Amino acid sequence: MIFLNINIDKYKNLSRSLSREFINLNPIQRGGILPKEAKKAVYEYWDGYSVCDYCHGRLDEITYPPIKDFLEDIAQFLNMDLARPTHGAREGKFIVMHAICKEGDYVVLDKNAHYTSYVSAERAKLNVAEVGYEEEYPTFKINLEGYKEVVDNLEDKGKNVGLILLTHVDGEYGNLNNAEKVGKFAKNRGIPFLLNCAYTVGRMPVDGKKLKADFIVASGHKSMASSAPCGILAFSEEFSDKITKTSEKFPVKEVEMLGCTSRGLPIITLMASFPYIVERVKKWDEELKKTRYVVDELEKIGFKQLGIKPKEHDLIKFETPILDEIAKKDKRKGFFFYDELKKRGIGGIRAGVSKEVKMSVYGLEWDQVKYVVDSIKQIISLNK
Amino acid sequence: MIFLNINIDKYKNLSRSLSREFINLNPIQRGGILPKEAKKAVYEYWDGYSVCDYCHGRLDEITYPPIKDFLEDIAQFLNMDLARPTHGAREGKFIVMHAICKEGDYVVLDKNAHYTSYVSAERAKLNVAEVGYEEEYPTFKINLEGYKEVVDNLEDKGKNVGLILLTHVDGEYGNLNNAEKVGKFAKNRGIPFLLNCAYTVGRMPVDGKKLKADFIVASGHKSMASSAPCGILAFSEEFSDKITKTSEKFPVKEVEMLGCTSRGLPIITLMASFPYIVERVKKWDEELKKTRYVVDELEKIGFKQLGIKPKEHDLIKFETPILDEIAKKDKRKGFFFYDELKKRGIGGIRAGVSKEVKMSVYGLEWDQVKYVVDSIKQIISLNK
């Protein structure tokens, strides 16, 4: 008998202190808010292995709920041949690297790649070579021509490049890369090409074949209005054998999926949100207008947008010397901005940070966007 | 522009046709039903990356919601040194195998091991050697002494045994193994020992140190009253370096976790259900009484329980020649049983199967258990 020294009360009434009534500006959260259709589905499938009611051995072949259809439909939506559920974009990247590369191979990736691209390669025992910037500050724009140089250098040294990875839009500056350019180069050189679409699929239209992607990883929780964790790995027929290789002893089970991946509630929300996602990506231009409005207005009061201009994605990173100035004289220091926003019902800005601020107004109504801008202007003018 | 040929309506109003009012006898589902406390927490955290509100770089260190505390508490609950969240038991097994074994090593496991134990080894490029039965039909009891023989044989041939794996309770017969015996042997031989507790942790008390487990994998959705997919990997300090090894480039990120694993709604339900789990494992004896009652009563009408007797776990597998007899003359064939149960508000028995039936009454009230038994008796007597 184990004697437990646990204060069990802290697990009672778990609540999110970031109120549901708040306007949340956190870029990693704005694309993951559930529409009401998905919330309704949650009540149906929140119990454990409830997606398995009519399973005949494999998640991706379940017809009720319609997971099999969904995977075909989402492949079509992305203009890719095939798709599998995953626990998220990072797990998709690891599956690809582990399935198609050999230990010691190089993954050539952009310098703005998410940390999980590096960590996936490390876990798969691969090396990484970076493609750098065309310009560092202030745009931090990736030099896409650099892929050729980096690959050439590695091959000259007799190294094997197992994968080219590009971050479609990065999470630091929200820069959109011309994926087609890298896709063409990869195709030309016969190197598999993975496009990390964690910040694009579900927010904006993505056409895998046009971009010449062999693999697309997408994130349900980041950009497809789903509960975490879940995602999609879409791929071309050419790599199907390796990605969907089945077990020797259990021929129905796919090895890289460990049989089944996202076998529960999150994929239900992903499916229930799918009609909503199909519609919302059509409104991407309007989202860009909101984003550019925020940039234009806040640059008037001393914010400076980092990354490519004009914005081609909703994730905005600002340099904010004006906030830093105020922080120096405010007794709340860097926390004044977070604090003042909170008073106005706005959250999702990292507390205590005043030199640089990341935000997104993706999916907010225009009057909310204007309220955010006006609130920030007011905070600056009242405190400076 | 991709032209979509999708019938989007099928994703609207996703509902579970297995009604919530049904008594569900599916053994993979009975341990994963959410208590109301967990359902309440779902409303708070269903949006995408909502657990990340106050994250400073790593899921397992988040203090609000109290994930960090929870991992310490669940390690204590299992009497293990450390714990990490996972996407489920299989992902936990892969982490262990990938982190501590070398390619080509042998995993020695029991013949009743779940298919994911084999597939995890295959994905980690390991070999597998099986420990067989002390008796095949009807108990299918694993010969635990066989671990020594199998390990000796491999070592005699110069093979390296990287891991000993035992399925605490298997999903086929619901046989409980004497884990302590295997744990002592493993310790004695200096081979790491993983205990797969997908069917035990959360249902019955499990004391890792007593069982001499170096690793325990547990399943939130299968046995800890949580939404799928999530689980726990608990381990001893001795293996901490390998399991929690951090990235060279991103020193805060754990490589085998790809930074963060179960970063969303399922772990919230796991935490919210924790107080309930702590209490319910204390009532395990009562659950065994219910299980044995079902076996005793149904054996009276021609069912024959497979696996070890008397039952030491709620998962029951019956041989059912009586159902098979009826199926032969019923125009519904094997589906008559499923159909008749459904009429009586009982679900979770595989449709169309009449030779063998798996079921569990775990967590049902006594009057429900009796209703199930009486219903089955009635179905037999009315149809035979």
Side-chain angles (χ1 to χ4, degrees):
Chain A
M1 190 69 191
I2 307 167
F3 174 73
L4 291 181
N5 177 24
I6 295 177
N7 170 14
I8 216 79
D9 287 342
K10 61 178 168 280
Y11 304 110
K12 291 178 179 164
N13 299 309
L14 285 181
S15 65
R16 210 176 154 191
S17 77
L18 184 68
S19 161
R20 271 172 287 196
E21 286 69 41
F22 265 52
I23 294 178
N24 181 354
L25 301 179
N26 192 337
I28 70 163
Q29 296 180 325
R30 285 233 53 81
I33 296 169
L34 265 57
K36 67 174 188 310
E37 305 87 293
K39 290 176 179 173
K40 274 168 57 189
V42 166
Y43 301 106
E44 297 283 328
Y45 285 96
W46 49 19
D47 286 334
Y49 261 159
S50 51
V51 300
C52 311
D53 283 341
Y54 303 100
C55 179
H56 294 288
R58 223 167 72 191
L59 178 71
D60 58 287
E61 293 179 343
I62 291 174
T63 54
Y64 192 90
I67 296 177
K68 186 172 190 291
D69 280 355
F70 172 67
L71 293 172
E72 287 167 14
D73 289 344
I74 196 125
Q76 194 189 137
F77 174 66
L78 299 173
N79 201 13
M80 296 290 284
D81 298 330
L82 295 155
R84 287 289 181 276
T86 64
H87 296 300
R90 64 190 69 185
E91 286 85 355
K93 289 182 277 190
F94 179 70
I95 287 171
V96 171
M97 293 177 187
H98 194 252
I100 71 159
C101 297
K102 285 187 298 290
E103 194 175 325
D105 275 1
Y106 275 76
V107 176
V108 176
L109 48 66
D110 59 288
K111 209 174 159 67
N112 284 339
H114 195 248
Y115 83 84
T116 56
S117 298
Y118 293 87
V119 175
S120 294
E122 197 172 341
R123 190 185 192 198
K125 296 168 185 156
L126 307 176
N127 295 299
V128 159
E130 279 178 354
V131 174
Y133 297 120
E134 187 176 304
E135 174 186 72
E136 300 222 4
Y137 180 91
T139 63
F140 300 95
K141 188 179 179 185
I142 297 295
N143 172 27
L144 298 181
E145 310 292 344
Y147 274 92
K148 181 179 183 312
E149 194 185 324
V150 173
V151 169
D152 283 346
N153 276 344
L154 287 168
E155 294 189 343
D156 284 351
K157 289 182 197 150
K159 308 292 187 190
N160 190 53
V161 178
L163 184 70
I164 284 177
L165 184 153
L166 177 68
T167 314
H168 200 195
V169 164
D170 69 279
E172 196 56 27
Y173 307 103
N175 284 347
L176 175 69
N177 284 304
N178 182 344
E180 193 174 355
K181 188 178 242 180
V182 179
K184 276 183 185 165
F185 165 71
K187 192 93 342 191
N188 208 17
R189 296 289 283 260
I191 304 171
F193 175 43
L194 184 152
L195 189 62
N196 178 5
C197 295
Y199 263 117
T200 51
V201 165
R203 288 167 121 102
M204 57 184 275
V206 173
D207 181 335
K209 291 212 192 300
K210 180 165 181 288
L211 305 180
K212 308 222 176 311
D214 296 304
F215 307 98
I216 280 182
V217 295
S219 170
H221 41 272
K222 222 178 214 172
S223 300
M224 301 172 84
S226 308
S227 300
C230 72
I232 288 291
L233 166 61
F235 48 101
S236 62
E237 186 61 50
E238 185 184 349
F239 294 95
S240 169
D241 285 357
K242 287 186 174 172
I243 299 295
T244 67
K245 181 171 167 282
T246 51
S247 163
E248 282 174 30
K249 193 176 162 79
F250 299 92
V252 74
K253 309 294 187 182
E254 292 178 350
V255 175
E256 285 296 339
M257 315 302 154
L258 296 174
C260 308
T261 55
S262 188
R263 49 202 184 276
L265 189 52
I267 198 177
I268 290 290
T269 63
L270 184 59
M271 291 197 295
S273 289
F274 185 53
Y276 169 78
I277 287 296
V278 167
E279 288 308 310
R280 86 174 182 185
V281 299
K282 296 175 187 164
K283 300 172 201 149
W284 180 239
D285 286 348
E286 194 64 18
E287 294 299 332
L288 286 185
K289 276 184 200 153
K290 291 177 203 165
T291 303
R292 290 173 185 181
Y293 168 80
V294 170
V295 170
D296 289 348
E297 291 301 311
L298 296 185
E299 289 208 324
K300 288 178 190 164
I301 56 157
F303 282 33
K304 179 183 166 59
Q305 182 227 309
L306 299 177
I308 295 168
K309 293 185 118 175
K311 287 298 299 173
E312 297 171 300
H313 188 268
D314 59 277
L315 186 153
I316 315 171
K317 184 169 187 173
F318 284 116
E319 247 186 339
T320 51
I322 180 74
L323 294 181
D324 206 38
E325 261 174 52
I326 298 170
K328 277 176 189 146
K329 58 184 186 179
D330 194 294
K331 67 175 190 297
R332 294 165 295 180
K333 299 293 172 197
F335 289 88
F336 88 95
F337 189 53
Y338 174 83
D339 195 38
E340 291 292 331
L341 285 170
K342 194 173 172 183
K343 282 184 198 165
R344 291 163 176 83
I346 299 170
I349 297 287
R350 190 164 281 271
V353 174
S354 61
K355 288 187 198 308
E356 292 177 337
V357 162
K358 279 207 271 187
M359 65 172 70
S360 164
V361 295
Y362 181 78
L364 293 179
E365 300 296 327
W366 266 107
D367 55 357
Q368 293 175 304
V369 174
K370 285 176 179 161
Y371 174 74
V372 168
V373 164
D374 292 346
S375 298
I376 294 176
K377 285 181 173 176
Q378 192 190 47
I379 292 168
I380 304 290
S381 75
L382 288 177
N383 289 276
K384 85 172 172 188
Chain B
M1 189 69 192
I2 307 167
F3 174 74
L4 291 181
N5 178 24
I6 295 177
N7 169 16
I8 215 79
D9 288 343
K10 61 178 168 280
Y11 304 109
K12 291 178 179 164
N13 299 310
L14 285 181
S15 65
R16 210 175 155 191
S17 77
L18 184 68
S19 161
R20 270 171 288 196
E21 286 70 42
F22 265 52
I23 293 177
N24 182 355
L25 302 180
N26 192 336
I28 71 162
Q29 296 179 325
R30 285 234 52 82
I33 296 169
L34 264 57
K36 68 173 188 311
E37 305 87 293
K39 290 175 179 173
K40 274 168 57 190
V42 166
Y43 302 105
E44 297 283 328
Y45 285 96
W46 48 20
D47 286 334
Y49 262 158
S50 52
V51 300
C52 311
D53 283 341
Y54 303 99
C55 179
H56 295 287
R58 222 166 73 192
L59 178 71
D60 58 288
E61 293 179 343
I62 291 174
T63 53
Y64 192 90
I67 296 177
K68 186 173 190 290
D69 280 356
F70 171 66
L71 294 172
E72 286 167 14
D73 289 345
I74 197 126
Q76 193 189 138
F77 174 66
L78 300 173
N79 200 13
M80 296 290 284
D81 297 330
L82 295 155
R84 287 289 181 275
T86 64
H87 296 300
R90 64 189 70 185
E91 286 84 355
K93 287 182 278 190
F94 179 71
I95 287 171
V96 171
M97 292 177 188
H98 194 252
I100 71 159
C101 297
K102 285 187 298 289
E103 194 175 325
D105 275 2
Y106 275 76
V107 175
V108 176
L109 48 66
D110 59 289
K111 208 175 160 67
N112 284 339
H114 194 249
Y115 83 84
T116 56
S117 297
Y118 292 86
V119 175
S120 294
E122 197 172 341
R123 190 184 191 199
K125 296 167 184 158
L126 307 176
N127 295 298
V128 158
E130 279 178 354
V131 174
Y133 296 120
E134 188 176 304
E135 173 186 73
E136 299 222 5
Y137 181 91
T139 63
F140 300 94
K141 188 179 180 184
I142 296 295
N143 172 26
L144 298 181
E145 310 292 344
Y147 274 92
K148 181 179 183 311
E149 194 185 323
V150 173
V151 169
D152 283 346
N153 276 343
L154 288 168
E155 293 189 343
D156 284 351
K157 290 181 197 151
K159 308 293 187 190
N160 190 52
V161 178
L163 184 69
I164 284 177
L165 184 154
L166 177 68
T167 314
H168 200 195
V169 164
D170 70 280
E172 197 56 29
Y173 306 104
N175 284 347
L176 175 69
N177 284 304
N178 182 345
E180 193 174 355
K181 188 179 243 179
V182 179
K184 276 183 185 165
F185 165 71
K187 192 91 346 192
N188 208 17
R189 296 289 282 260
I191 303 171
F193 175 43
L194 184 153
L195 190 61
N196 178 5
C197 296
Y199 263 117
T200 51
V201 166
R203 288 166 120 103
M204 57 184 275
V206 173
D207 181 335
K209 291 214 191 298
K210 181 165 180 288
L211 304 180
K212 308 222 176 312
D214 296 304
F215 308 98
I216 280 182
V217 295
S219 170
H221 40 272
K222 221 177 214 173
S223 300
M224 299 171 84
S226 308
S227 300
C230 72
I232 288 291
L233 166 61
F235 48 101
S236 62
E237 185 61 51
E238 184 185 348
F239 293 95
S240 169
D241 285 356
K242 287 186 175 171
I243 298 295
T244 68
K245 181 172 167 282
T246 51
S247 163
E248 281 174 31
K249 193 176 161 78
F250 299 92
V252 75
K253 309 295 187 182
E254 292 178 351
V255 176
E256 285 296 339
M257 315 302 154
L258 296 174
C260 308
T261 55
S262 188
R263 49 202 184 276
L265 190 52
I267 198 178
I268 290 290
T269 63
L270 184 59
M271 291 197 295
S273 289
F274 185 53
Y276 169 79
I277 287 296
V278 167
E279 288 308 309
R280 86 175 182 185
V281 299
K282 296 176 188 164
K283 300 172 200 149
W284 180 239
D285 286 348
E286 193 64 18
E287 294 300 331
L288 286 185
K289 276 184 200 153
K290 292 177 202 164
T291 302
R292 291 174 185 180
Y293 168 80
V294 171
V295 171
D296 289 348
E297 290 301 311
L298 296 185
E299 290 208 323
K300 287 179 190 164
I301 55 157
F303 282 32
K304 178 183 166 61
Q305 182 226 309
L306 299 178
I308 295 168
K309 293 185 117 174
K311 288 298 299 173
E312 296 171 301
H313 188 268
D314 59 277
L315 186 154
I316 315 170
K317 184 168 187 173
F318 284 116
E319 246 185 339
T320 51
I322 180 74
L323 294 181
D324 206 39
E325 262 175 52
I326 298 170
K328 278 177 189 146
K329 56 184 187 178
D330 194 294
K331 67 175 190 297
R332 295 165 294 179
K333 300 294 171 196
F335 289 88
F336 88 94
F337 189 53
Y338 174 83
D339 195 38
E340 291 292 332
L341 285 170
K342 194 173 172 184
K343 282 185 199 165
R344 291 164 176 83
I346 299 169
I349 296 287
R350 190 163 281 272
V353 174
S354 61
K355 288 188 198 308
E356 292 177 337
V357 161
K358 279 207 270 187
M359 66 172 71
S360 164
V361 295
Y362 181 77
L364 293 179
E365 300 296 326
W366 265 107
D367 55 357
Q368 293 175 305
V369 174
K370 285 177 178 159
Y371 174 75
V372 168
V373 164
D374 292 346
S375 297
I376 294 175
K377 285 181 172 176
Q378 192 190 48
I379 292 168
I380 304 291
S381 75
L382 288 177
N383 289 277
K384 83 173 174 187

